[in-house]
């Protein structure tokens, strides 16, 4: 569950004010809006990567407004994927678990399991350079899921993918939801993403979030 109450957040000269919305546990919401309207800023605030000026953020009934990002239980896939280029795919998947000091045997098992059902087991010993767009997105998704998040935030996860790869990713995201039941907030400007994936659709416009028919 995500609940945002009267949140104000600034990114340089840009500011979002008095944002309010609620997303039930286990739902898949798509947030739409024109480029530059603040969708990424909102995700960064939820994840703790951008400090809010006022208002509160609640995740699964807990006020996490002042929590460190690592303890919010959010898996985040940024628009540029932000894979670590000097690490192997395996190390990228293990990164969050290593930071949390998860035992090595458990990390190995979780990375192996994730890589199998994401279809990237054959990539584990490669580095991100040279991976296709779809492969890179699967790795970024796997890194976010490795920590077994309670919330998944996706920023334009299907941008710049060809039609065939986009269709494959739709099916993969449906599988992720079925297997993990994770509450998901997916930012996009593609209406088809909402048609394919969402049970809740929101739009950010004129500084306010409104729910629209999915």
């Amino acid at each position: 569950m995500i609940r945002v109450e009267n949140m104000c957040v600034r990114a340089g000269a840009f500011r979002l004010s008095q944002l309010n919305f609620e997303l039930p546990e286990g739902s898949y919401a798509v947030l739409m809006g024109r480029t530059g309207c603040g969708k990424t800023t909102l995700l960064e605030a939820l994840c703790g990567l951008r400090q809010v000026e006022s208002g509160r953020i609640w995740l699964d009934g807990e006020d996490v407004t002042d929590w460190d990002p690592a303890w919010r239980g959010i898996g985040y896939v940024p628009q540029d994927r932000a894979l670590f280029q000097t690490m192997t795919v395996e190390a990228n998947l293990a990164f969050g678990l290593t930071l949390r000091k998860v035992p090595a045997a458990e990390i190995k098992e979780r990375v192996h399991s994730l890589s199998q059902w994401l279809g990237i087991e054959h990539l584990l010993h490669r580095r991100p350079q040279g991976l296709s767009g779809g492969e890179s997105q699967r790795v970024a998704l796997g890194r976010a899921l490795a920590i077994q998040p309670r919330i998944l935030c996706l920023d334009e996860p299907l941008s710049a993918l060809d039609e065939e790869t986009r269709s494959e990713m739709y099916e993969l995201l449906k599988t992720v939801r079925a297997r993990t039941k994770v509450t998901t907030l997916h930012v996009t400007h593609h209406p088809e993403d909402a048609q394919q994936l969402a049970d809740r659709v929101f739009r950010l416009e004129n500084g306010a979030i409104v729910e629209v028919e999915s």
Side-chain angles (χ1 to χ4, degrees), residues 1 57-65 67 71-72 150:
M1 180 274 287
I57 299 171
W58 298 77
L59 302 178
D60 289 348
E62 295 181 291
D63 183 348
V64 303
T65 310
W67 287 21
W71 302 112
R72 297 191 183 203
R150 53 182 174 176

Side-chain angles (χ1 to χ4, degrees), residues 11 45 50-51 54 62 64-65 68 79 84 100 132 145-148 154 168 172 198-199 201 208:
R50 191 173 295 279
Q51 187 172 7
S54 60
E62 295 181 291
V64 303
T65 310
D68 185 274
Q79 187 171 357
F84 301 114
R100 290 164 175 78
S132 70
L145 291 171
I147 63 168
Q148 298 178 327
L154 309 174
E168 291 173 357
L172 179 60
D199 53 38
V201 180

Side-chain angles (χ1 to χ4, degrees), residues 74-77 93 139-149 152-154:
I74 296 178
Y76 177 44
V77 178
L93 294 178
V139 175
L141 183 60
R143 186 177 61 184
L145 291 171
I147 63 168
Q148 298 178 327
L152 184 63
C153 288
L154 309 174

Side-chain angles (χ1 to χ4, degrees), residues 21-87:
F21 78 99
E22 186 165 340
L23 182 57
E25 182 178 354
S27 55
Y28 195 115
V30 164
L31 176 64
M32 304 188 70
R34 63 177 177 79
T35 300
C37 70
K39 302 186 299 296
T40 295
T41 298
L42 170 59
L43 282 191
E44 290 175 344
L46 289 177
C47 294
L49 303 174
R50 191 173 295 279
Q51 187 172 7
V52 301
E53 293 184 339
S54 60
R56 312 307 298 171
I57 299 171
W58 298 77
L59 302 178
D60 289 348
E62 295 181 291
D63 183 348
V64 303
T65 310
D66 301 314
W67 287 21
D68 185 274
W71 302 112
R72 297 191 183 203
I74 296 178
Y76 177 44
V77 178
Q79 187 171 357
D80 63 1
R81 304 184 184 100
L83 297 176
F84 301 114
Q85 298 299 311
T86 60
M87 296 182 180

